[in-house]
Amino acid sequence: MSNTVRVQPDLKFVKELQEVGGADLKKCYQCATCSVVCPLSPKDSPYPRKEMVWAQWGLKDRLVNDIDIWLCHNCGTCSTLCPRGAKPGDLLAALRNMAYRNLAPLPIIGKLMSSSSGLPVLAAIPAIFYLLVWVIMAGKLGSFLPEFAFVDHAWVPVEDGIIAFGGLFPGDYVIDPPFILAFVFMLWGFYAGIRNMLNGFKAQPTTYILGRKDEPSYLAALIDTLKYEVLQHTQFNDCAEDDDDENDIKRPFGHKMLMYSFIALLVVTGFVAANHWGGWFFSQIGIDSLGGILSAMGHTPMPLYHPIKLLALVGAGLMIYGLIVLTKRRTNLDQAKQGSSWYDWYLLTLIWVVAGTGIGAMIFRLVHAKILAYPTYYVHLIAVFMLIAYLPWSKLGHVVYRTAALAYAKKIGRIPMGNAK
């Protein structure tokens, strides 16, 4: 006698899923082509066929805790070869989009991040704050576009001076504290989001692997993931096929260059902040000589020949290259086979704004075009704040969520450790 299984579809979930990128899921007729052609899908319970079934049936509980949505790297092979145009790759991307909205706390931010209508609200927070700073400082300095000289470790307004963003937007008060708070807020969001995600994975079965000894610790699996999947992009490289077009072939390298650019710029920011505040600290405790040296090392703007400035320029160049590669691929996608969602374009556009305004502000400062330099820097502050503060709710959050999920998948044996491939 067979057991009866009651399926209770969540129709609201299906509708939401279609709105965030899974619009064509009902075209699927379960031929399993997608799971067969995927270069990454495990042989045991492969994806994305089962996800297509669960999505059609509205099985929200299974999908929101499905680790396989994070194993997919969205190469698009399954969507390209789907005979019905159901775009299974887009479905997995849509599931990740829904995860960005709901994993981290404060789901209101996730809701605002899910469409262009929420963008003005999110941008208004840093925009209003830095506009008020600009107005207050302009009243104090006597000009909205002031020029400065650096005197006694401070920016002093003068005529025929230089453009100094730190003079109009004092870093010690209106740059470092708000961005430190935004960074802590981001860490809190990721901590809660990863905790929720890993708790949801606990129902995942452990895969038995012949010849495998002890199950690795999560830390060992995480280190392995950082070594192979993050720094070397092994799974992105595995996604590439010999008959891919040029844009798909360049995608792994472009993605890697964009990642390295963020690492380089993070090192630059850390160096400047550590020396600036380290110099202040040592001066406060009476070690003025060391404090002066550190403060001088972290003083900005740095000359173009400074090693840290050169690293910043290299990082900016890598960022532009990566953006060009990924934007070219995104704009040349065959929309009948693989689509783009709001999350895709929001992320690319925001990083373009960060890169463009950062480089633009530097150029306008060097050529002394203050009418362009200060507004460009103002927009740069807004964009960088949005990139950092809202990271756990944006597509860029996959860098953290996917890393955590890949490590868990290695721990339970869903995918092999890097050195066992």
Side-chain angles (χ1 to χ4, degrees):
M1 181 177 177
S2 62
N3 294 323
T4 300
V5 178
R6 184 184 297 272
V7 176
Q8 295 179 313
D10 187 332
L11 299 181
K12 182 181 178 181
F13 171 75
V14 175
K15 183 178 179 181
E16 291 177 353
L17 192 55
Q18 290 176 308
E19 290 175 351
V20 294
D24 297 295
L25 70 91
K26 291 186 176 181
K27 294 180 180 179
C28 173
Y29 64 174
Q30 291 303 309
C31 67
T33 298
C34 53
S35 293
V36 172
V37 301
C38 177
L40 299 179
S41 184
K43 295 179 181 179
D44 178 34
S45 188
Y47 62 83
R49 183 194 179 191
K50 65 180 186 299
E51 284 74 18
M52 297 298 287
V53 176
W54 295 345
Q56 288 178 324
W57 289 355
L59 302 184
K60 178 180 179 179
D61 291 340
R62 289 197 178 188
L63 286 167
V64 296
N65 296 319
D66 181 22
I67 196 171
D68 286 354
I69 69 173
W70 301 103
L71 307 188
C72 165
H73 281 57
N74 202 26
C75 65
T77 300
C78 58
S79 297
T80 299
L81 298 178
C82 176
R84 292 276 291 174
K87 301 178 183 176
D90 285 8
L91 172 76
L92 295 186
L95 288 166
R96 292 191 293 272
N97 292 341
M98 292 192 73
Y100 305 140
R101 292 168 56 174
N102 300 309
L103 278 175
L106 300 179
I108 182 61
I109 299 179
K111 184 177 181 180
L112 291 171
M113 287 286 293
S114 65
S115 68
S116 58
S117 61
L119 190 59
V121 178
L122 296 172
I125 296 172
I128 292 174
F129 174 75
Y130 283 111
L131 182 59
L132 288 174
V133 171
W134 196 345
V135 171
I136 292 171
M137 290 301 297
K140 180 179 179 181
L141 299 170
S143 172
F144 276 92
L145 304 172
E147 298 179 14
F148 298 90
F150 195 67
V151 180
D152 294 330
H153 304 288
W155 291 111
V156 178
V158 296
E159 294 185 4
D160 299 324
I162 64 172
I163 295 171
F165 301 126
L168 185 59
F169 298 96
D172 289 357
Y173 306 102
V174 302
I175 303 294
D176 289 356
F179 276 92
I180 290 173
L181 289 175
F183 185 76
V184 172
F185 179 71
M186 176 198 73
L187 292 180
W188 170 70
F190 273 129
Y191 169 76
I194 292 173
R195 182 186 58 190
N196 292 335
M197 182 177 69
L198 296 182
N199 285 336
F201 289 163
K202 288 181 179 179
Q204 295 282 333
T206 300
T207 303
Y208 176 75
I209 302 177
L210 187 64
R212 191 187 201 194
K213 297 180 181 180
D214 296 330
E215 178 180 281
S217 66
Y218 184 78
L219 178 59
L222 180 60
I223 293 173
D224 189 83
T225 300
L226 293 172
K227 178 181 178 181
Y228 289 97
E229 279 74 20
V230 176
L231 294 179
Q232 299 182 40
H233 273 44
T234 54
Q235 288 202 315
F236 271 102
N237 294 329
D238 290 342
C239 278
E241 300 287 343
D242 293 336
D243 57 350
D244 284 343
D245 64 26
E246 181 182 2
N247 293 324
D248 286 329
I249 292 173
K250 289 183 177 181
R251 175 179 176 246
F253 187 71
H255 199 280
K256 188 186 295 185
M257 293 302 101
L258 191 59
M259 180 195 69
Y260 287 153
S261 74
F262 276 109
I263 293 175
L265 296 175
L266 181 63
V267 171
V268 170
T269 303
F271 178 88
V272 172
N275 280 283
H276 173 74
W277 288 106
W280 174 84
F281 173 77
F282 283 109
S283 296
Q284 292 297 310
I285 63 175
I287 310 178
D288 294 330
S289 57
L290 180 57
I293 293 173
L294 292 177
S295 296
M297 290 174 62
H299 178 64
T300 58
M302 295 176 174
L304 293 177
Y305 56 80
H306 193 290
I308 294 299
K309 187 69 172 183
L310 293 175
L311 180 60
L313 294 174
V314 170
L318 293 177
M319 180 173 288
I320 294 297
Y321 174 81
L323 284 170
I324 290 173
V325 170
L326 298 181
T327 304
K328 184 178 179 181
R329 176 182 180 270
R330 183 65 58 183
T331 55
N332 284 280
L333 286 176
D334 184 349
Q335 296 300 313
K337 296 180 179 179
Q338 187 177 4
S340 298
S341 68
W342 155 255
Y343 287 87
D344 299 318
W345 287 119
Y346 168 81
L347 178 59
L348 277 173
T349 302
L350 182 61
I351 300 178
W352 267 116
V353 173
V354 169
T357 55
I359 295 172
M362 180 190 70
I363 293 174
F364 295 142
R365 176 180 63 82
L366 292 175
V367 300
H368 204 74
K370 59 184 181 180
I371 196 171
L372 296 175
Y374 287 118
T376 302
Y377 185 71
Y378 168 73
V379 175
H380 182 68
L381 289 175
I382 297 171
V384 173
F385 183 92
M386 293 178 67
L387 186 68
I388 295 174
Y390 309 138
L391 194 59
W393 297 268
S394 75
K395 183 183 175 182
L396 191 57
H398 80 276
V399 174
V400 175
Y401 292 130
R402 177 176 280 157
T403 300
L406 287 171
Y408 191 88
K410 290 184 176 185
K411 180 180 183 299
I412 64 174
R414 182 63 176 150
I415 58 176
M417 297 285 278
N419 57 7
K421 291 183 178 179

